[in-house]
Amino acid sequence: MWVADMDFKAAPEITEAIMDTAEMGVYGYTMIPDKWYEVYIDWWKQYDTKLEKDWLKYTTGVVPAISTVIRKLTSKGDKVLIQTPVYHVFFYIIEDNEREVIENKLIYKDKQYSIDFDDLEEKLSRDDVNLMLLCNPHNPIGKIWSKEELERIGQLCRKHDVVVVADEIHGDLTDPGRKYNPFINISGECRDNTIMTIAPTKTFNIAGLKTAAVCIPNTNLREKIFKAIDVDCINDPNIFAINGTIAAYTKGDEWLNQLRQYLCDNKQVLDDYLNNIPEIELVPSDATYLLWIDCSRLGIQGEDFCDFLNNKTGLLLSPGVQFGKVGEQFVRINIACPRKLLLSGLDRLKRGVKLYKNR
């Protein structure tokens, strides 16, 4: 219950599109049809966001795209700002590209996270910081950033000439009745200073198709990054990725609505179950199927608790320390699975906590 994909089959309409593609029997090179652009543009209308064809470019994934951006817009030794606790791969792609991580640590108080804007501005003002990775909605805390919070981030980044890379791959996975706020839609400052990375992969459980998009409204920024994506050869589509994306965005609505409700119900099941495990508690969230659990009453250290759970109960969770030192007293759990499997995992968690306390 750690890796961020789902134990649900993709929407039947996506499977049908993949099967129809396979039956053609020709799996050679392909081009990106106009329909691919159209489905992205139409999908984001639900968020009152107007995308344009020229702003969009196919890429094989959000992470490869962010890695390309880091190399293009920063130099070796530069710092890239992230807000921790955050998606652990951010650390890898910064450090593996010979850049340094600089953290704007989120404030945790009364089971809620907020942004330390004074610290954020101080770090954005540094000469060696010219790129910020924004996770929106935020993984692992499942927070939908408000328009006011995003607007302030946009103002500060513009003031200090720091480009924002907005990873919005979890944007569709909100609780029923909730919508996230695309960063480029917040203000002109945000739109003109942002590289937005988006994909149907988390939403529709099709990460294996290797399909995503980069969206850049600013012409100068767009020319730089699109050229870099070409140079890095992460722009070559495969026919399954194209047809799967089109099917997802044109025929997947009802499946997604059912998924959102199921995930919301699973979240409630977990929250209720944790009444039986007083040593840990759920951090409330409104987005993603990844839940952040506060284990500070257990006094866990590093990855030892998750290793212990795995060894003693067979339950695999993500150690919070992977998301930054500030996450050391937390674990992340994936609830995107059938209810029976979720309850099995929670039983293992309860047993593991008891064993850990008495070890």
Side-chain angles (χ1 to χ4, degrees):
M1 303 180 79
W2 67 277
V3 69
D5 59 12
M6 298 189 276
D7 288 324
F8 301 127
K9 288 186 177 180
E13 294 83 359
I14 297 175
T15 301
E16 182 179 359
I18 298 296
M19 296 297 290
D20 288 346
T21 303
E23 286 179 359
M24 289 193 301
V26 178
Y27 313 129
Y29 301 114
T30 188
M31 298 178 70
I32 299 171
D34 287 341
K35 186 67 174 177
W36 181 87
Y37 297 95
E38 292 169 8
V39 298
Y40 270 97
I41 291 168
D42 288 344
W43 187 262
W44 258 262
K45 287 177 181 177
Q46 67 182 297
Y47 302 114
D48 300 318
T49 303
K50 183 180 181 296
L51 306 185
E52 296 183 11
K53 180 180 178 180
D54 291 345
W55 299 358
L56 293 165
K57 189 173 185 67
Y58 173 88
T59 181
T60 53
V62 163
V63 170
I66 295 175
S67 186
T68 289
V69 171
I70 289 171
R71 287 193 295 277
K72 184 64 179 178
L73 297 185
T74 66
S75 300
K76 290 182 179 180
D78 281 353
K79 293 180 172 60
V80 179
L81 189 143
I82 58 178
Q83 296 177 297
T84 54
V86 75
Y87 180 40
H88 58 286
V89 175
F90 281 3
F91 289 90
Y92 306 153
I93 58 176
I94 293 170
E95 293 168 351
D96 288 350
N97 279 304
E98 299 180 70
R99 278 65 170 170
E100 297 180 14
V101 170
I102 186 168
E103 299 180 48
N104 170 228
K105 297 175 182 177
L106 299 175
I107 299 169
Y108 183 61
K109 184 179 180 180
D110 299 328
K111 297 175 64 175
Q112 294 290 335
Y113 279 92
S114 61
I115 298 171
D116 184 340
F117 279 104
D118 290 337
D119 178 75
L120 177 61
E121 179 159 25
E122 188 276 321
K123 286 168 178 171
L124 290 173
S125 69
R126 298 186 184 188
D127 292 338
D128 57 355
V129 176
N130 53 25
L131 193 67
M132 173 180 176
L133 305 188
L134 171 69
C135 199
N136 177 44
H138 196 93
N139 170 19
I141 65 175
K143 186 176 180 69
I144 298 175
W145 296 117
S146 69
K147 291 181 179 180
E148 292 75 21
E149 289 168 320
L150 294 174
E151 183 175 25
R152 194 168 176 190
I153 291 172
Q155 290 170 344
L156 291 175
C157 287
R158 195 57 156 168
K159 176 182 176 181
H160 296 290
D161 295 320
V162 175
V163 175
V164 177
V165 179
D167 174 4
E168 311 207 351
I169 198 169
H170 293 280
D172 298 317
L173 294 170
T174 57
D175 288 353
R178 297 297 307 275
K179 287 187 178 181
Y180 94 111
N181 304 299
F183 188 66
I184 66 169
N185 202 37
I186 300 301
S187 68
E189 288 178 313
C190 294
R191 182 183 61 251
D192 294 336
N193 193 42
T194 303
I195 298 164
M196 179 169 131
T197 57
I198 48 182
T201 50
K202 286 285 186 277
T203 305
F204 293 100
N205 205 30
I206 53 173
L209 295 186
K210 300 296 183 182
T211 178
V214 173
C215 176
I216 311 177
N218 182 287
T219 303
N220 292 332
L221 199 55
R222 182 167 67 244
E223 290 177 354
K224 286 182 183 178
I225 300 305
F226 282 12
K227 177 64 175 177
I229 288 172
D230 291 343
V231 169
D232 284 350
C233 298
I234 57 169
N235 63 332
D236 291 327
N238 71 75
I239 197 166
F240 295 100
I242 296 298
N243 291 347
T245 297
I246 292 171
Y249 281 147
T250 56
K251 301 176 181 178
D253 293 62
E254 181 54 34
W255 182 91
L256 178 57
N257 288 335
Q258 292 180 27
L259 172 71
R260 283 171 169 153
Q261 187 59 57
Y262 197 91
L263 294 177
C264 187
D265 292 343
N266 267 4
K267 186 187 301 185
Q268 188 61 54
V269 167
L270 181 143
D271 198 19
D272 291 342
Y273 191 100
L274 291 188
N275 290 326
N276 302 312
I277 318 175
E279 296 84 1
I280 61 178
E281 61 181 350
L282 177 65
V283 177
S285 69
D286 296 308
T288 85
Y289 50 73
L290 305 165
L291 299 185
W292 195 232
I293 297 178
D294 185 346
C295 302
S296 55
R297 295 174 191 168
L298 275 178
I300 64 178
Q301 298 294 323
E303 299 187 11
D304 78 311
F305 177 59
C306 288
D307 288 341
F308 184 89
L309 283 178
N310 183 25
N311 292 331
K312 297 297 184 180
T313 74
L315 175 64
L316 277 167
L317 303 181
S318 296
V321 72
Q322 291 182 350
F323 304 86
K325 186 68 174 177
V326 293
E328 187 170 31
Q329 294 295 315
F330 296 80
V331 296
R332 192 189 74 173
I333 184 170
N334 179 346
I335 61 163
C337 59
R339 192 81 27 85
K340 182 179 179 180
L341 187 58
L342 172 63
L343 291 170
S344 173
L346 293 176
D347 287 342
R348 292 165 188 257
L349 178 60
K350 181 181 178 181
R351 187 167 75 253
V353 167
K354 182 177 180 180
L355 291 171
Y356 187 82
K357 283 178 60 183
N358 297 324
R359 72 194 189 285

